[in-house]
């Protein structure tokens, strides 16, 4: 995978976003707790590990069932292929069992552009659905006018998440999205190679990274063509 591809992947981190009414906040909180236990998107996990996921029980399920039993919510989850969809099916099954709220799970397309278009069409046509949807980390600003403010219900819970993501999800004072899971890019470097080519510290900008990488790669390939 090339550097540009890796940078693009780092930018596309999924978030859970609310776009609806009754019971949606409860679903968001439940899914956030369940998915947090996986520590990473299930699309990167093996099917065996995904199959072992046991969704936690929904907090305050008795009160929620008494008030909202029989209502329905549409949830646009992960793509319909792979372990991530199996995870969504398990989360939905547990939520329905605990609350009596029926969840219509609709997978989003596997491509980021197609997933964006799916939501844009729904919002642009003023559809009453979806109620809850997965959203790319770079989309809250675009869809904020269509999303409800989660701050009154989930403001305290938001403090438990990385504040940079919460800030990203706060548009015009409204908390329009809550983190479900996060991908964080990590850059590793070799101290021995930096020292060999006269660098005292790792790069702090992309341009410096490119220049250092080129110098080291050119130098190493003189004796190792496969470097």
């Amino acid at each position: 995978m090339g550097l540009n591809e890796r940078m693009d992947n780092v930018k596309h981190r999924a978030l859970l976003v609310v776009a609806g009414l009754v019971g949606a906040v409860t679903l968001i909180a439940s899914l956030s707790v369940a998915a947090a236990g996986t520590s990473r998107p299930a699309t990167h996990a093996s099917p065996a590990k995904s199959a072992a996921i046991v969704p936690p029980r929904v907090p305050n399920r008795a009160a929620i069932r008494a008030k909202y039993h029989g209502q329905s919510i549409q949830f646009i989850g992960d793509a319909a292929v792979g372990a991530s969809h199996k995870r969504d099916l398990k989360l939905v099954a547990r939520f329905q069992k605990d609350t009596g709220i029926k969840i219509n799970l609709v997978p989003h397309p596997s491509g980021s552009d197609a997933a964006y278009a799916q939501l844009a069409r729904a919002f642009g046509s003023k559809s009453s659905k979806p109620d809850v949807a997965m959203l790319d980390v770079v989309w809250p600003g675009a869809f904020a006018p269509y999303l409800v403010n989660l701050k009154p219900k989930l403001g305290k819970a938001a403090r438990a998440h990385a504040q940079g993501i919460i800030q990203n999800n706060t548009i015009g004072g409204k908390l329009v999205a809550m983190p479900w899971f996060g991908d964080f890019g990590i850059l590793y470097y070799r101290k021995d190679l930096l020292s060999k080519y006269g660098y005292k510290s790792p790069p702090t900008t992309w341009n410096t990274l490119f220049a250092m990488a080129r110098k080291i790669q050119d130098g190493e390939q003189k004796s190792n063509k496969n470097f």
Side-chain angles (χ1 to χ4, degrees):
M1 181 181 293
L3 179 59
N4 289 338
E5 291 177 280
R6 292 196 298 270
M7 291 171 62
D8 186 63
N9 286 341
V10 168
K11 289 189 295 184
H12 289 84
R13 304 166 192 147
L15 297 176
L16 189 66
V17 174
V18 66
L21 302 171
V22 176
V25 170
T26 302
L27 176 59
I28 287 175
S30 300
L31 290 172
S32 297
V33 170
T38 68
S39 77
R40 63 186 305 182
T43 50
H44 299 295
S46 68
K49 290 184 178 179
S50 176
I53 294 175
V54 179
R57 302 187 71 177
V58 176
N60 303 316
R61 51 196 169 276
I64 295 170
R65 173 178 282 275
K67 189 172 183 179
Y68 300 120
H69 180 273
Q71 299 209 30
S72 299
I73 293 176
Q74 185 187 90
F75 167 41
I76 294 184
D78 219 327
V81 294
S84 56
H85 184 59
K86 295 178 181 178
R87 171 207 61 204
D88 288 351
L89 289 170
K90 289 192 173 187
L91 294 174
V92 164
R94 186 55 188 256
F95 185 85
Q96 291 185 141
K97 178 181 179 181
D98 284 0
T99 67
I101 299 173
K102 180 176 176 56
I103 305 298
N104 176 22
L105 174 61
V106 178
H108 71 62
S110 56
S112 181
D113 55 346
Y116 182 96
Q118 178 190 40
L119 292 177
R121 286 193 300 270
F123 294 142
S125 65
K126 299 182 180 180
S127 172
S128 61
K129 304 296 181 181
D131 298 294
V132 183
M134 286 185 63
L135 191 72
D136 196 297
V137 72
V138 297
W139 297 348
F143 292 135
Y146 307 101
L147 307 177
V148 301
N149 185 10
L150 297 172
K151 188 175 290 185
K153 293 292 186 180
L154 298 179
K156 291 183 179 180
R159 299 171 189 170
H161 295 278
Q163 289 307 297
I165 301 179
I166 295 300
Q167 183 178 0
N168 178 79
N169 299 341
T170 304
I171 310 297
K174 292 170 52 181
L175 179 63
V176 298
M178 280 285 281
W180 189 7
F181 52 73
D183 290 339
F184 299 90
I186 299 175
L187 177 67
Y188 292 91
Y189 64 94
R190 286 177 52 179
K191 291 182 178 180
D192 61 328
L193 288 178
L194 264 62
S195 177
K196 179 178 178 179
Y197 289 90
Y199 298 115
K200 296 181 179 180
S201 60
T204 56
T205 68
W206 287 113
N207 286 338
T208 304
L209 169 63
F210 298 149
M212 292 170 63
R214 173 55 59 192
K215 180 179 179 179
I216 293 172
Q217 184 171 332
D218 288 346
E220 290 300 295
Q221 285 186 344
K222 291 178 181 178
S223 58
N224 179 9
K225 296 298 182 182
N226 294 321
F227 185 88

